[in-house]
Amino acid sequence: MTVLTLAVAESRLILRNRTVLLTAAVLPLIFGLLLSRSNLAGQAPSAGPIAAMQMVMLLVFGLFMAITMTLTARRQQLYLKRLRTSPASTASIVAGLASPLALIVLAQTAVVLAVTAWDSGSAPVHPALLVLAFVNGAVTMTAFGFLTASFTKTPEAAQITVLPGMLVFMAGVFLSFAPGEGPAAALRSAIPGAALAELTVTAWDGAADGAFASIAEPLLVSTAVALLASVIAAKLFRWQPRA
Amino acid sequence: MRFRHYRRDLPNRRIEGMNAITHEPGPAVEIRDLSCRYGSFTAVDRVSFAVGPGELFALLGTNGAGKTTTIETAIGMRRPAAGSARVLGRDPYRHRRDLAGAVAVIGQETGFADDLTAAETIKLWTDLHRLPSQSDALLERVDLAHRAAVRVGALSGGERRRLDLALALATSPTVLFADEPTTGLDPASRRRTWGLLRELTQRGTAVVLTTHYLDEAAELADHVAIMDRGRIARFGTVAEITAAYEARISMRPKPFDPLALPALAGRTSVDDGLLTVRTTELQADLHRLLDWAARTGVDLADLKAGPATLDEIFAELEAEPTATP
Ligand SMILES: Nc1ncnc2c1ncn2[C@@H]1O[C@H](COP(=O)(O)OP(=O)(O)OP(=O)(O)O)[C@@H](O)[C@H]1O
Ligand SMILES: [Mg+2]
């Protein structure tokens, strides 16, 4: 209810600001589609890894970076300070501001993955798992965006402070492509972005072993990591510009 | 420096909402030995006061005296370095969400999303509080009905201030913290705001108000604290505070020979032809001066006599080298 209220207000703000709309809605779509057509696409053995990279990229731009900037901008406008004097919880404020962005990314992902499916002549084996991967990614990106915003003073500074996060997500994706099992794999799932990529690949190409066994671990580990990031962020986050 | 006279005749109000708070009898706001620091700088230094239901407490003070810091601590936006704040019997830092339904805040600076309209802003606020929509009525109360469809970013400073007030009224608060709610308002809007604040106190709301306008405090406040460099330098009713200062008689005698003045109980000073007498014997000294003027044929132009005004007290406090607690 509170999340919906905040999400409606936030959607209005996004729709009424053309620059934001352009950078949030159009640019990631172009990048995403370019990736389908890139050399990488030709070299990959299957469409799964391509879909994973596309999903991560869209979420990094459209959610991780966007929520970091949104939180810092809304803090500077003292909008967050105002919300803190309402009964809204920390989680619902962050979720309320993130959900319109997540919806935009969801639409973009649908378009880009449809193109990838058409290009590769393949379709995801487990479409429901693809949705689960997206949700997992959205939660992770929001949590790390919240964490990044907790040490970002201004929206301008966000252009720099998101870089470590972006590197980590990229590393997560590439490491997830490396073969590995047991404790090493669990550790890998802890790297933000890895679980998302792993789940996407499984959703698209199918799992070698039973599907459940191969998704449970990355799902649990990455959710725990996102939760931890959120808890730390909530502790560090300043709700007003004046410390 | 606490006072113990709260109005106890008001019924305890039960606040409806997600987290209903039953208001125990006693002060609605109780600040005890509160200190706040920014790094090593002490912005608020052992401040204490209490505000009962239906009372309006005004915090006056110089820029940087620590008023906003005190309020932000009382609304749970920051944690005290020492001492405590209690609002409706609870720690505002730990129970921020529980208190949000009963406590309204008008911050020193307005915080709105610029691209929402005035009406949407109110709707957002009442939705967050799970209250029925009432934008029209609220905008009407603060004289903003004609600006309902305008984006907040396009409102004037005074209009934004009034929108702030509308949000505070929306939740019918048990406690209101208002940090300079009338700064930037034109005289008519200021009076209107005063009326609305009075309405709130009459319905039992405890109000903590900061202001730089001394007439505002005199007009509205049951009790006043004058803050200076983090401390409460003066406390009491406006009458009590002024009573602690010497009364003033001022005039421009013509012709003026300072040596010809009669013997007075008070101290005299001359500034640019304006003679000021500070005295504890207002009537007697005034009589002596009038008598002297009548005898010598001196004309007492611009004659004024009365207790010290808050303006004068303020000026004296500012001139003091260190705060006197
Ligand atoms: N984040 C901060 N870091 C360092 N000092 C601060 C910070 N915030 C406030 N201060 C200082 O604390 C003191 C009290 O500030 P505060 O805003 O409470 O004063 P105020 O009484 O509300 O003043 P005004 O009338 O100008 O609004 C000031 O000297 C201010 O410079
Ligand atoms: Mg202030």
Side-chain angles (χ1 to χ4, degrees):
Chain A
M1 186 45 205
T2 303
V3 175
L4 187 66
T5 300
L6 290 169
V8 167
E10 191 61 30
S11 308
R12 285 205 172 104
L13 296 176
I14 293 171
L15 290 173
R16 285 173 192 178
N17 192 320
R18 273 190 215 108
T19 352
V20 170
L21 196 60
L22 185 79
T23 43
V26 182
L27 291 183
L29 203 58
I30 294 171
F31 281 119
L33 291 174
L34 281 177
L35 203 58
S36 312
R37 304 291 169 137
S38 70
N39 286 340
L40 274 171
Q43 286 160 11
S46 69
I50 301 294
M53 276 189 288
Q54 288 172 320
M55 181 114 89
V56 171
M57 206 212 64
L58 288 171
L59 279 165
V60 164
F61 280 100
L63 199 49
F64 169 67
M65 285 174 64
I67 191 65
T68 304
M69 295 210 185
T70 300
L71 283 170
T72 41
R74 301 278 177 263
R75 170 171 53 206
Q76 241 180 7
Q77 295 156 351
L78 300 178
Y79 179 61
L80 295 186
K81 186 177 180 181
R82 154 94 51 199
L83 294 183
R84 284 305 263 188
T85 65
S86 83
S89 68
T90 301
S92 58
I93 293 174
V94 176
L97 267 59
S99 44
L101 298 170
L103 281 182
I104 294 175
V105 180
L106 183 63
Q108 290 165 337
T109 307
V111 172
V112 170
L113 292 190
V115 171
T116 301
W118 187 71
D119 259 3
S120 63
S122 68
V125 178
H126 307 292
L129 187 53
L130 206 54
V131 176
L132 195 64
F134 180 86
V135 172
N136 174 267
V139 169
T140 301
M141 298 290 165
T142 303
F144 280 88
F146 184 29
L147 184 62
T148 306
S150 75
F151 56 83
T152 307
K153 283 220 165 74
T154 62
E156 293 76 46
Q159 291 169 339
I160 309 271
T161 56
V162 292
L163 292 177
M166 286 174 74
L167 287 177
V168 169
F169 292 130
M170 294 306 160
V173 176
F174 285 108
L175 283 174
S176 80
F177 296 154
E181 293 206 0
L187 209 63
R188 203 175 55 195
S189 298
I191 302 169
L196 163 61
E198 219 170 313
L199 292 171
T200 309
V201 172
T202 309
W204 204 285
D205 295 340
D209 47 357
F212 180 76
S214 57
I215 64 164
E217 192 175 82
L219 207 54
L220 286 176
V221 172
S222 60
T223 306
V225 170
L227 204 68
L228 184 69
S230 312
V231 169
I232 296 171
K235 282 252 177 278
L236 295 178
F237 196 81
R238 300 209 179 286
W239 295 91
Q240 57 169 339
R242 197 169 95 155
Chain B
M1 210 183 294
R2 278 189 300 139
F3 59 90
R4 288 167 189 83
H5 321 285
Y6 336 112
R7 279 164 40 184
R8 292 187 184 276
D9 49 339
L10 289 149
N12 295 336
R13 289 213 294 153
R14 209 178 145 73
I15 294 90
E16 300 303 331
M18 289 166 294
N19 302 289
I21 290 176
T22 316
H23 180 204
E24 302 299 325
V29 179
E30 192 167 25
I31 306 293
R32 257 192 229 197
D33 294 324
L34 180 74
S35 295
C36 303
R37 282 190 259 284
Y38 297 105
S40 62
F41 175 72
T42 303
V44 175
D45 190 7
R46 285 164 288 161
V47 162
S48 298
F49 61 85
V51 188
E55 266 180 346
L56 191 142
F57 179 79
L59 269 178
L60 289 155
T62 45
N63 286 135
K67 303 179 295 294
T68 298
T69 306
T70 302
I71 288 202
E72 285 185 352
T73 311
I75 63 172
M77 291 290 301
R78 53 179 82 249
R79 231 198 291 234
S84 68
R86 283 271 175 285
V87 176
L88 301 176
R90 298 184 183 211
D91 175 350
Y93 189 85
R94 288 180 47 212
H95 298 276
R96 181 188 62 80
R97 286 183 64 208
D98 299 341
L99 287 168
V103 177
V105 180
I106 299 177
Q108 179 162 7
E109 293 162 276
T110 59
F112 299 117
D114 280 352
D115 287 330
L116 293 181
T117 68
E120 285 165 353
T121 302
I122 295 189
K123 175 85 167 58
L124 168 65
W125 197 241
T126 47
D127 282 354
L128 286 176
H129 284 269
R130 315 218 169 153
L131 295 167
S133 282
Q134 41 178 328
S135 315
D136 295 347
L138 284 164
L139 287 169
E140 191 66 54
R141 279 179 84 187
V142 297
D143 197 20
L144 275 182
H146 59 298
R147 308 296 278 161
V150 176
R151 290 191 194 179
V152 173
L155 294 179
S156 78
E159 286 169 340
R160 289 168 68 100
R161 213 68 195 121
R162 272 141 61 194
L163 182 58
D164 242 335
L165 181 64
L167 294 193
L169 296 171
T171 55
S172 311
T174 308
V175 180
L176 169 65
F177 291 96
D179 199 355
E180 302 190 27
T182 63
T183 296
L185 293 190
D186 62 47
S189 307
R190 243 178 107 202
R191 297 239 154 235
R192 209 183 165 99
T193 300
W194 288 3
L196 291 167
L197 289 174
R198 268 199 214 98
E199 256 176 52
L200 282 176
T201 52
Q202 274 155 18
R203 281 189 285 143
T205 303
V207 180
V208 177
L209 170 97
T210 80
T211 179
H212 287 290
Y213 302 113
L214 306 153
D215 59 329
E216 185 163 294
E219 180 77 27
L220 295 173
D222 298 294
H223 289 87
V224 173
I226 302 182
M227 280 187 84
D228 185 42
R229 285 157 282 191
R231 293 197 176 184
I232 292 186
R234 294 290 180 275
F235 174 86
T237 63
V238 171
E240 281 164 8
I241 291 177
T242 50
Y245 283 77
E246 293 159 315
R248 319 277 151 125
I249 307 168
S250 64
M251 72 205 77
R252 294 180 186 279
K254 283 169 191 155
F256 184 29
D257 173 9
L259 297 175
L261 281 174
L264 296 169
R267 301 172 287 132
T268 58
S269 60
V270 183
D271 181 23
D272 198 17
L274 182 76
L275 172 71
T276 304
V277 182
R278 286 155 213 259
T279 178
T280 50
E281 296 174 26
L282 178 62
Q283 195 182 339
D285 274 351
L286 187 61
H287 187 83
R288 287 179 192 119
L289 280 163
L290 290 172
D291 193 44
W292 164 74
R295 276 189 286 108
T296 56
V298 172
D299 175 32
L300 301 183
D302 297 340
L303 175 66
K304 281 195 203 100
T309 62
L310 273 175
D311 280 288
E312 289 159 342
I313 294 168
F314 219 56
E316 284 193 13
L317 270 177
E318 273 191 291
E320 279 175 21
T322 51
T324 41

